[in-house]
Amino acid sequence: MTEGGGGGAPFVLVHADESCLGNDASKASRGGNASLIEAPAGDSVARWDFYDCSPQTTNNRMALAGAIATLEWIRRQWRNAHVRFVSDSEYLVKGMTEWLAGWQARGWRRKTGALENLELWQALAQVTAHHTMDWRWVRGHNEHVKNEYANFLAIRSAEQQQRSNGLVPSGFDTWLAQQRARGKYVNFDPDEELYERK
């Protein structure tokens, strides 16, 4: 992976999702998170997958932990990047775009008291400071192709308690070919978002 050309920060597109089988902190609730990470590479697109798991967690904790780890791995590849982070977690996206400044101004507290998942929010604020961030929310389970792929990875990670241990070559193209063989996403252009950059 190389530094972006043209003197500016490289553009990196992330589609992330999380899964929690049970989503109940009082009993065993296996979780997983996953990201499809893409960056322009000359005339083509480079793609990587990242996924992680936890034997006992919640959806919200998995969304935060996945974002932290993904952005840390991106920082290892590029010191700073323009990152568009697309997630179906309103908790994550609203937290970073609407709530964070208020929490910080109140000494990392909500108006109504203690902030849940405090250490994760603090870690996420720290790692995002290295990047130019563009947070975007998409509705989950709504035929958004790359969100569906991230969801597939997250569920598999939760079920099998699998970790990628870093960025690995993506299986997205193979997965998309399998979907198209079933007649889905036939007209979808997987590279379009990488070159829009708006």
Side-chain angles (χ1 to χ4, degrees), residues 31-52:
N33 56 46
S35 298
L36 169 63
I37 299 154
E38 303 174 291
D43 293 333
S44 63
V45 171
R47 293 188 171 91
W48 302 271
D49 292 341
F50 170 81
Y51 46 91
D52 202 357

Side-chain angles (χ1 to χ4, degrees), residues 1-51:
M1 295 178 219
T2 58
E3 295 285 336
F11 178 66
V12 182
L13 178 63
V14 176
H15 285 83
D17 206 350
E18 71 291 326
S19 173
C20 188
L21 309 176
N23 203 27
D24 182 347
S26 69
K27 62 177 188 283
S29 298
R30 291 174 296 153
N33 56 46
S35 298
L36 169 63
I37 299 154
E38 303 174 291
D43 293 333
S44 63
V45 171
R47 293 188 171 91
W48 302 271
D49 292 341
F50 170 81
Y51 46 91

Side-chain angles (χ1 to χ4, degrees), residues 101-113:
W103 293 337
Q104 290 175 315
R106 287 187 292 273
W108 286 102
R109 292 180 66 79
R110 297 166 63 210
K111 288 178 186 171
T112 53

